[in-house]
Amino acid sequence: MDMRWSLNELYSSFESEDFKSDMEKLYKLIDELKEWAELNFSSKESAVAKAEEYIKRMSEFITLHTKLASYARLTASVDAKNEQALKVSDRLSIKFSELTKAFVSYQKWIGSIDNIDELFAESDILRKHEFIIKEAANNAKYLLGEKEEIIISKMRNTGSTAWSNLQNMITSTLLVDIELNGEKKQLPLPAVRNLAHEKNPEIRKTAYYAELESYKKIEESSAACLNGIKGEVITTSELRGYSSPLEETLYNSRMDKETLDAMLAAMKESLPAFRKYYRKKAELLGHSNGLPFYDMFAPMGEVNITFTYEEARDYIVKNFRSFSDELADFAANAFEKNWIDAEPREGKRGGAFCSNLRPIQESRIMANFNGSFSNMTTLAHELGHGYHGHCLKNEPILNCSYPMPLAETASIFCETIVVNAALKEASQEEAFGILESSISDAGQVIVDILSRYIFETNLFEKRKDSALSVKEFKELMINAQKEAYGEGLDPNYLHPYMWINKTHYYSAGRNFYNFPYAFGLLFAKGIYAEYLKRGSDFVPEYNKLLVATGRNNIADVTKMVGIDVRSIDFWRSSLKLVEEDIERFIELADKVK
């Protein structure tokens, strides 16, 4: 079975006539859209015809840009040194930024239309795009003048984007001095962080100390980067009229503060259960003062479940079929049509992702498959993202962009299907290992995410007054970890440099890129619980929910399956599922000692 994907459905090469012709066509579309916007958004006459024309032109542009950019990005993801792919990506980014003025003009124009609902009454096309048109009209109140928006867009390249690039460069080239098995080495940071999963406790501890020591080489540079980025965010957020960067993030996530507060309150209530888990894991590993940070990811039990690539496919398809034939057939087709690049090789990036290619109504999944149980669950997770795209295939392309909190719904749902199936079939020892790994992952998404949310909240508050020193960044991080993990972790072995390690802090467009993960996990668990209650009757509702994610606010999407995300009770019920897993883990721990 082929473990490499085919991108021929996009383009056969950068030199192909199709690719060259589409690049020329895209440049022409951009120039025409800029000119058309300049001519048409100065008056409100013929509003319906203008709005329809803009939707038509934007749809054509986004379709072509997505196809070209995806080809370049996917090519580079498995061939990091492909200069042509990198150059094309760069050229497309620069060309995209040329449309800033047109985007701003449209949003200001649509925001100035009185009785906007009358537009929808007169046009089927506009009615289909009602949500995103109203969203654009609402965006207008947060926009500055055209000149200011263009200046901000251009200055961002030498401001936050340059700081982000610098941080990426210093962390990706950082070499960690470490001694392993009596041999002194210099290893890349990701390789040293991966040692946290090693079975040998001495290696885990050595890696922890070596990692912390290495950050001293880049702590001042990282602090300058973070101060620069967060300073810019505070400035632009205030200029646009948001009360805080958090308000801006919630607005862009289509989520309200009431929902966030309910979820955070439930998360805080669940902390004693997670602390119980961390203390039990600490005890099993021979610690008496809570779990040291270096043993956070120590593997527990023996999970000897392995798969060939074909076995992984069969296992996923079989268990997806227990939910629906449509989901199983989608997954089978993805394997058969070579939509997946699963072979680890030099020059290929690590991790996994799914790219939904709406212009050709397909998906591509990148993974690094070595046969482990977690590799199989990763494939299931990414296929869930692909299925989300599949459900959106008949939607207009402008209705296919969904907010980050809903992005993990289908992926975690699909991962849950295969993990639960494995738990039913596993031996007691294997079940213990699978369960511990699942709780550990949940702990990262609930407890660690909470610590990051606390850290970033306090960081923004302090940065309003002045830049922070390295010492202040470290203190903020330690205090946030103590508040979230409590007695679960050993206070003498925390991670004061986690603010350097997490790349999300260094993106001006991704502030508070933490709570969406918690939302994704808990919402997916909640709808999985609904499925267990309602069985096959739930399947059509689940598909409808995925279709609606691109054209609704979060609370309206969740209401479709009878879930009120503004109620703390929903979040408590999802967290109760994790708490039950923790109780089962503690019970099994006493049996498999």
Side-chain angles (χ1 to χ4, degrees):
M1 220 176 130
D2 198 346
M3 288 176 73
R4 295 193 182 194
W5 59 25
S6 163
L7 299 182
N8 289 334
E9 293 72 18
L10 288 166
Y11 300 101
S12 56
S13 76
F14 290 108
E15 300 304 322
S16 69
E17 286 307 312
D18 282 355
F19 183 83
K20 288 177 182 173
S21 157
D22 278 356
M23 281 293 275
E24 280 176 29
K25 190 178 172 188
L26 183 81
Y27 282 22
K28 189 164 176 272
L29 282 176
I30 290 170
D31 291 339
E32 287 172 352
L33 183 51
K34 279 157 59 179
E35 190 182 332
W36 182 87
E38 187 89 44
L39 289 170
N40 286 275
F41 291 141
S42 53
S43 78
K44 298 179 195 176
E45 290 165 17
S46 311
V48 171
K50 286 177 181 177
E52 284 184 341
E53 183 64 20
Y54 181 78
I55 292 292
K56 182 172 148 274
R57 285 173 181 265
M58 272 304 291
S59 300
E60 195 178 357
F61 164 70
I62 293 293
T63 299
L64 197 53
H65 184 273
T66 300
K67 195 178 174 194
L68 289 160
S70 296
Y71 182 66
R73 189 167 48 82
L74 293 171
T75 300
S77 72
V78 294
D79 183 8
K81 291 180 181 172
N82 190 310
E83 287 182 17
Q84 214 168 358
L86 298 171
K87 273 183 186 170
V88 167
S89 287
D90 207 30
R91 279 162 62 199
L92 287 169
S93 294
I94 292 164
K95 289 303 285 184
F96 194 94
S97 70
E98 285 183 21
L99 285 174
T100 300
K101 187 179 177 185
F103 296 156
V104 172
S105 300
Y106 164 68
Q107 288 175 89
K108 283 186 172 288
W109 177 80
I110 200 74
S112 72
I113 303 283
D114 302 316
N115 304 318
I116 196 169
D117 287 328
E118 289 176 12
L119 300 184
F120 309 124
E122 292 182 44
S123 165
D124 283 346
I125 293 172
L126 300 186
R127 211 161 31 249
K128 278 181 189 167
H129 294 87
E130 181 175 345
F131 178 80
I132 61 156
I133 290 170
K134 283 184 172 176
E135 190 173 55
N138 206 39
N139 287 350
K141 69 184 177 196
Y142 296 115
L143 285 171
L144 304 172
E146 281 179 13
K147 281 183 181 172
E148 287 94 332
E149 287 293 346
I150 290 165
I151 289 166
I152 287 172
S153 176
K154 288 187 174 179
M155 288 193 74
R156 194 176 285 133
N157 290 329
T158 52
S160 58
T161 302
W163 286 120
S164 296
N165 291 341
L166 174 61
Q167 177 65 10
N168 185 47
M169 177 62 72
I170 60 178
T171 50
S172 58
T173 55
L174 176 66
L175 290 174
V176 181
D177 298 304
I178 188 168
E179 189 172 326
L180 294 170
N181 304 317
E183 188 185 343
K184 288 184 177 177
K185 296 181 175 185
Q186 283 196 316
L187 296 176
L189 183 59
V192 173
R193 280 189 56 75
N194 281 341
L195 297 175
H197 300 270
E198 281 287 318
K199 275 197 174 300
N200 185 327
E202 280 309 309
I203 290 178
R204 295 196 299 267
K205 194 171 182 178
T206 300
Y208 165 79
Y209 280 116
E211 181 195 345
L212 294 190
E213 191 62 28
S214 73
Y215 289 128
K216 290 177 184 174
K217 300 177 193 175
I218 60 169
E219 61 183 7
E220 292 294 348
S221 312
S222 297
C225 292
L226 197 48
N227 276 315
I229 292 164
K230 295 307 187 192
E232 178 183 295
V233 168
I234 290 166
T235 302
T236 54
S237 192
E238 279 178 4
L239 285 171
R240 294 189 190 288
Y242 292 102
S243 62
S244 67
L246 177 60
E247 188 197 13
E248 185 174 4
T249 299
L250 285 167
Y251 177 78
N252 291 332
S253 300
R254 299 174 181 167
M255 184 169 163
D256 53 50
K257 186 76 162 51
E258 199 183 341
T259 300
L260 178 65
D261 288 344
M263 182 180 79
L264 290 174
M267 285 164 65
K268 286 171 185 172
E269 286 179 4
S270 75
L271 293 178
F274 280 101
R275 289 166 184 172
K276 195 174 170 186
Y277 153 70
Y278 289 122
R279 288 195 76 81
K280 187 64 181 180
K281 182 167 182 174
E283 180 197 314
L284 294 170
L285 293 168
H287 304 295
S288 58
N289 195 32
L291 190 66
F293 210 96
Y294 57 78
D295 273 348
M296 179 97 77
F297 306 108
M300 307 290 290
E302 292 293 329
V303 183
N304 294 318
I305 309 170
T306 57
F307 299 84
T308 63
Y309 189 54
E310 289 82 358
E311 286 167 348
R313 173 199 61 192
D314 295 344
Y315 191 81
I316 289 166
V317 171
K318 179 184 81 174
N319 286 296
F320 278 6
R321 204 165 294 285
S322 70
F323 177 73
S324 79
D325 284 337
E326 189 178 359
L327 177 60
D329 292 344
F330 169 80
N333 187 57
F335 281 101
E336 188 188 328
K337 298 281 175 64
N338 299 328
W339 291 5
I340 304 170
D341 197 297
E343 177 194 59
R345 57 188 182 275
E346 193 182 341
K348 182 177 176 179
R349 63 174 271 188
F353 68 81
C354 173
S355 183
N356 288 326
L357 308 173
R358 177 63 182 71
I360 59 169
Q361 299 198 337
E362 295 181 6
S363 298
R364 290 297 180 272
I365 288 164
M366 194 220 74
N368 285 275
F369 185 82
N370 65 11
S372 71
F373 176 78
S374 69
N375 280 172
M376 183 277 294
T377 63
T378 296
L379 283 177
H381 179 103
E382 299 305 334
L383 283 161
H385 282 302
Y387 185 70
H388 195 160
H390 166 76
C391 288
L392 288 162
K393 68 180 181 183
N394 294 321
E395 284 289 293
I397 194 163
L398 298 182
N399 284 350
C400 290
S401 179
Y402 41 83
M404 175 61 192
L406 292 173
E408 295 300 317
T409 304
S411 53
I412 294 172
F413 190 94
C414 285
E415 191 178 340
T416 305
I417 291 172
V418 295
V419 169
N420 283 2
L423 277 170
K424 282 180 191 168
E425 300 163 8
S427 67
Q428 193 166 273
E429 181 78 13
E430 285 170 341
F432 174 71
I434 293 169
L435 205 54
E436 195 280 327
S437 176
S438 175
I439 297 164
S440 176
D441 290 348
Q444 284 298 291
V445 175
I446 303 301
V447 190
D448 201 65
I449 284 294
L450 184 60
S451 77
R452 294 187 228 170
Y453 176 82
I454 294 165
F455 168 80
E456 197 160 2
T457 301
N458 294 335
L459 164 57
F460 272 121
E461 204 50 49
K462 277 187 167 288
R463 184 64 187 86
K464 273 196 269 186
D465 296 329
S466 64
L468 283 77
S469 66
V470 168
K471 183 170 177 270
E472 286 174 305
F473 279 124
K474 286 162 73 176
E475 282 171 359
L476 281 186
M477 184 52 79
I478 289 291
N479 290 339
Q481 287 170 357
K482 284 180 177 175
E483 191 177 332
Y485 286 98
E487 72 276 10
L489 294 193
D490 186 330
N492 300 309
Y493 299 97
L494 297 174
H495 199 309
Y497 286 107
M498 199 48 84
W499 55 277
I500 296 181
N501 180 258
K502 295 297 173 190
T503 56
H504 296 149
Y505 294 131
Y506 296 85
S507 169
R510 290 181 167 180
N511 302 294
F512 291 100
Y513 202 70
N514 34 54
F515 69 77
Y517 285 103
F519 185 104
L521 174 78
L522 297 175
F523 181 59
K525 281 193 173 291
I527 59 170
Y528 189 79
E530 282 296 307
Y531 159 61
L532 293 180
K533 271 192 268 179
R534 291 153 64 182
S536 58
D537 290 347
F538 181 71
V539 175
E541 283 186 50
Y542 173 73
N543 289 344
K544 272 187 206 160
L545 176 142
L546 295 180
V547 171
T549 50
R551 49 177 162 82
N552 285 281
N553 287 318
I554 284 177
D556 294 327
V557 172
T558 64
K559 209 185 289 175
M560 293 175 67
V561 284
I563 288 170
D564 179 8
V565 286
R566 295 185 180 112
S567 162
I568 194 170
D569 291 334
F570 166 69
W571 302 108
R572 282 173 178 152
S573 65
S574 286
L575 283 157
K576 192 168 185 290
L577 299 172
V578 184
E579 288 163 19
E580 285 167 2
D581 283 349
I582 289 171
E583 289 305 319
R584 192 176 165 203
F585 163 75
I586 289 167
E587 200 181 296
L588 281 173
D590 295 328
K591 290 179 183 173
V592 299
K593 269 184 186 175

